[in-house]
Amino acid sequence: MVKDTIVNGYQNAAHRSLYHALGLTEEEMQRPLIGIVSSYNEIVPGHMNLDKITEAVKLGVAMAGGTPIVFPAIAVCDGIAMGHIGMKYSLVTRDLIADSTEAMVMAHGFDGLVMIPNCDKNVPGLLMAAARLNKPTIFVSGGPMLAGRVGGKKTSLSSMFEAQGAYAAGKIDDAKLEEFVQKTCPTCGSCSGMYTANSMNCLTEVLGMGLRGNGTIPAAYSARIDLAKRAGMQIMELVKKNICARDIMTKEAIYNALTADMALGCSTNSMLHLPAIANECEVEFNLDMANEISEKTPNLCHLAPAGPTYMEDLNEAGGVYAVLKELTKKGLLNLDVMTCTGKTLGENIANAVNLDTEVIRDIDNPYTKTGGIAVLHGNLAPDGGVVKRSAVLPEMLVHEGPARVFDSEEDAMEAIMGGKIVAGDVVVIRYEGPKGGPGMREMLNPTSAIMGQGLGNSVALITDGRFSGATRGACIGHCSPEAASGGTIGLIEEGDIISINIPEYKLELKVSDEVLAERRKNFVPKTKELSGYLKRYAQLVSSGSTGAIVNQK
């Protein structure tokens, strides 16, 4: 305990004087010191309510006999960073968050931790830190945004980006575009579909690191404040019982998370974050495990952008626990894993009920018999490419067409918005990977422009970058090795035929081995002039196929 190693005794008198400088009483110093990692800021819509969550957690900790101490974590809004240099700084913050949290905790010796994240890289970054530090830890997030409403229909951020594409194609006018602007994001919170933030927040429940409702209770609901108080109280139980993060985030728990990912139809970014979290837990995670689990896990949810339901609907239908209960009907989960409740996962979900079989399909009536994510292999992506197949139109599950090759997102956007992409094309965007970007930018602008222009049923997109959870369509990301590392994607020439077969997990460049070998003789990957953090990141980051983790060797 902190009081034994830092506070008590003459040798720690100097430490005590600094605690007194904080205004702490002797009584507070003798209680467990709980670090509250608050990601509150005033620029990310999903984080503007975290000050309220933080105060509620502090109250819960104090009510249960602990001393709460707050320190910050950063967060980037992927929506605001989208489509410009800012997106290069999104994924890279995952490691900054993990590293800075590690530094703060190790320097100040907390007895337990409450992590308060909400948006895309913030959740996995803090999960990585939790595993690395291996202290009693619980998560309570800020919650999802309520869906917007335009023309009587629910909307989310993906609707907004697609509206931009529709406007460029002349399908909507200025007034309709402005209506989308005003009504798409009506409250604070993480964006209202099953995008990356909500995917990872839901997976905190499956991993056992968050209480029931952590992934689905809307940010605007008072129940979110109640949840925060209960999380503050529960961390004291974890400290008392010395239940630490890696007691919860075991190999079995991570496999449970991957299974639930398939059922929920989570963002493809989970295929970056789960391997990175597993790495911190010292659990082996092979990307091909996704296909093995997907083959036996039905897709039960079609939340936006895959379908017309939203996080608020999942919450009303029974939330993540109701999805997990469906999965138990076919024995797809390990129910004996420990969780932050101090009980097993099986005990947690025993009384869960599916209240809406349209939002959460019965396991015997799934949307598809296979899971929401697929990993494709072939000569174009020997180490794999990732697609959210639950958000792919049936007619695009198998597609073959000519490559339209671009060496940056900006060049691709210019062609798409300029009407230069036509039905049947396969848009290739390269040099946007972890090293080549650097930072593996999300391609939501190009994918939304394709959908908004009515080409979603005839055009595919392939990239060594990645996609927002808001992306839908035949969009294959994480193609590895990336162009900057000498991957085949860097050898593609304009007009080459590309074959995509998602049901068979295949991604092929229809060019002979001999021709590719000849191209490779003269191939020198493009480089960029870098400085600062991005330069250091590009030198250290691993492939997207291994989670884009920063090499610690």
Side-chain angles (χ1 to χ4, degrees), residues 2-3 5-7 15 18-19 22 33 35 69 71 100-111 135:
V2 171
K3 64 184 176 64
T5 58
I6 296 179
V7 174
H15 300 90
L18 292 169
Y19 281 119
L22 294 171
L33 195 65
I69 302 288
F71 65 90
S100 61
T101 301
E102 175 192 359
M104 286 295 290
V105 172
M106 295 305 294
H108 301 105
F110 297 97
D111 296 309
K135 289 178 176 284

Side-chain angles (χ1 to χ4, degrees), residues 226-530:
D226 176 274
L227 179 72
K229 291 176 184 174
R230 289 190 288 112
M233 291 186 279
Q234 185 59 27
I235 187 58
M236 298 307 297
E237 288 298 310
L238 295 176
V239 169
K240 188 184 302 181
K241 296 175 181 177
N242 195 32
I243 299 174
C244 296
R246 285 204 222 171
D247 297 325
I248 295 171
M249 288 194 287
T250 60
K251 177 178 74 173
E252 292 78 14
I254 290 170
Y255 288 5
N256 280 348
L258 186 53
T259 300
D261 184 312
M262 296 299 171
L264 286 162
C266 289
S267 164
T268 52
N269 281 314
S270 62
M271 293 298 100
L272 289 173
H273 301 324
L274 284 176
I277 294 161
N279 177 67
E280 297 290 352
C281 294
E282 298 181 3
V283 170
E284 184 179 352
F285 191 107
N286 185 310
L287 200 61
D288 289 331
M289 290 163 43
N291 289 345
E292 296 170 22
I293 289 177
S294 179
E295 280 297 319
K296 58 185 178 182
T297 306
N299 178 228
L300 305 180
C301 299
H302 260 195
L303 295 147
T309 53
Y310 295 79
M311 294 305 297
E312 61 199 61
D313 302 312
L314 179 59
N315 188 62
E316 294 302 318
V320 174
Y321 277 22
V323 176
L324 299 182
K325 191 64 177 289
E326 289 292 340
L327 294 175
T328 65
K329 295 177 181 178
K330 291 195 181 292
L332 295 174
L333 298 173
N334 185 314
L335 300 178
D336 296 325
V337 291
M338 178 53 61
T339 73
C340 66
T341 65
K343 300 176 182 178
T344 65
L345 182 66
E347 291 174 303
N348 286 350
I349 68 174
N351 298 318
V353 177
N354 183 354
L355 300 174
D356 190 332
T357 54
E358 280 305 304
V359 177
I360 306 170
R361 288 282 185 91
D362 186 280
I363 199 162
D364 292 318
N365 180 37
Y367 283 102
T368 57
K369 292 181 179 179
T370 52
I373 288 176
V375 178
L376 311 186
H377 286 282
N379 67 343
L380 181 44
D383 295 341
V386 180
V387 61
K388 187 174 182 176
R389 66 173 156 193
S390 61
V392 178
L393 292 170
E395 59 266 38
M396 290 299 292
L397 290 169
V398 178
H399 180 76
E400 188 168 291
R404 304 298 310 279
V405 185
F406 304 96
D407 288 343
S408 72
E409 177 189 1
E410 288 83 359
D411 289 347
M413 275 299 291
E414 184 179 346
I416 296 167
M417 299 302 261
K420 296 178 182 178
I421 302 302
V422 299
D425 285 347
V426 179
V427 176
V428 176
I429 306 178
R430 60 194 181 189
Y431 294 103
E432 292 287 5
K435 290 180 181 293
M440 208 176 186
R441 287 197 289 181
E442 290 182 343
M443 301 292 122
L444 180 56
N445 269 346
T447 60
S448 297
I450 288 168
M451 297 302 291
Q453 293 194 358
L455 295 170
N457 63 350
S458 60
V459 170
L461 190 150
I462 296 171
T463 180
D464 52 9
R466 60 194 178 94
F467 297 114
S468 165
T471 285
R472 62 189 179 104
C475 303
I476 301 155
H478 310 195
C479 284
S480 302
E482 62 177 291
S485 296
T488 307
I489 191 171
L491 303 178
I492 301 173
E493 295 183 359
E494 188 81 6
D496 285 348
I497 300 301
I498 293 174
S499 174
I500 301 164
N501 191 320
I502 295 172
E504 295 185 7
Y505 304 110
K506 292 181 180 178
L507 180 60
E508 296 284 344
L509 178 62
K510 295 291 189 176
V511 174
S512 70
D513 292 343
E514 291 76 16
V515 170
L516 287 177
E518 193 62 32
R519 290 181 187 178
R520 192 171 291 283
K521 287 180 183 178
N522 301 313
F523 175 52
V524 178
K526 293 184 177 182
T527 58
K528 297 172 182 174
E529 200 66 40
L530 300 173

Side-chain angles (χ1 to χ4, degrees), residues 95-266:
D95 293 278
L96 281 175
I97 291 161
D99 292 349
S100 61
T101 301
E102 175 192 359
M104 286 295 290
V105 172
M106 295 305 294
H108 301 105
F110 297 97
D111 296 309
L113 298 168
V114 182
M115 306 292 199
I116 307 178
N118 209 29
C119 289
D120 296 29
K121 311 311 163 301
N122 200 238
V123 185
L126 289 178
L127 283 166
M128 290 164 65
R132 195 182 297 177
L133 293 161
N134 199 28
K135 289 178 176 284
T137 307
I138 194 168
F139 276 65
V140 56
S141 302
M145 186 184 290
L146 294 175
R149 282 172 174 77
V150 176
K153 294 182 179 180
K154 287 185 177 181
T155 60
S156 60
L157 188 64
S158 54
S159 312
M160 184 68 252
F161 276 94
E162 289 178 20
Q164 292 177 182
Y167 180 82
K171 294 187 175 185
I172 62 173
D173 60 15
D174 289 345
K176 182 54 99 176
L177 182 65
E178 187 59 24
E179 184 181 3
F180 272 98
V181 171
Q182 295 297 327
K183 296 181 177 179
T184 295
C185 300
T187 72
C188 64
S190 48
C191 297
S192 55
M194 186 56 83
Y195 308 158
T196 306
N198 292 327
S199 295
M200 295 309 301
N201 281 326
C202 285
L203 293 184
T204 62
E205 292 189 53
V206 188
L207 285 167
M209 295 298 289
L211 297 175
R212 181 175 189 171
N214 188 52
T216 61
I217 297 172
Y221 285 11
S222 298
R224 181 59 61 173
I225 300 298
D226 176 274
L227 179 72
K229 291 176 184 174
R230 289 190 288 112
M233 291 186 279
Q234 185 59 27
I235 187 58
M236 298 307 297
E237 288 298 310
L238 295 176
V239 169
K240 188 184 302 181
K241 296 175 181 177
N242 195 32
I243 299 174
C244 296
R246 285 204 222 171
D247 297 325
I248 295 171
M249 288 194 287
T250 60
K251 177 178 74 173
E252 292 78 14
I254 290 170
Y255 288 5
N256 280 348
L258 186 53
T259 300
D261 184 312
M262 296 299 171
L264 286 162
C266 289

Side-chain angles (χ1 to χ4, degrees), residues 42-119:
E42 294 183 341
I43 187 60
V44 182
H47 290 230
M48 64 175 288
N49 64 321
L50 296 189
D51 56 341
K52 309 295 190 300
I53 301 296
T54 300
E55 290 303 312
V57 168
K58 287 175 65 177
L59 185 57
V61 169
M63 286 192 295
T67 299
I69 302 288
V70 178
F71 65 90
I74 64 168
V76 163
C77 176
D78 277 23
I80 294 174
M82 196 70 65
H84 57 90
I85 192 173
M87 182 48 69
K88 294 178 185 288
Y89 286 88
S90 173
L91 180 60
V92 304
T93 65
R94 188 183 69 182
D95 293 278
L96 281 175
I97 291 161
D99 292 349
S100 61
T101 301
E102 175 192 359
M104 286 295 290
V105 172
M106 295 305 294
H108 301 105
F110 297 97
D111 296 309
L113 298 168
V114 182
M115 306 292 199
I116 307 178
N118 209 29
C119 289

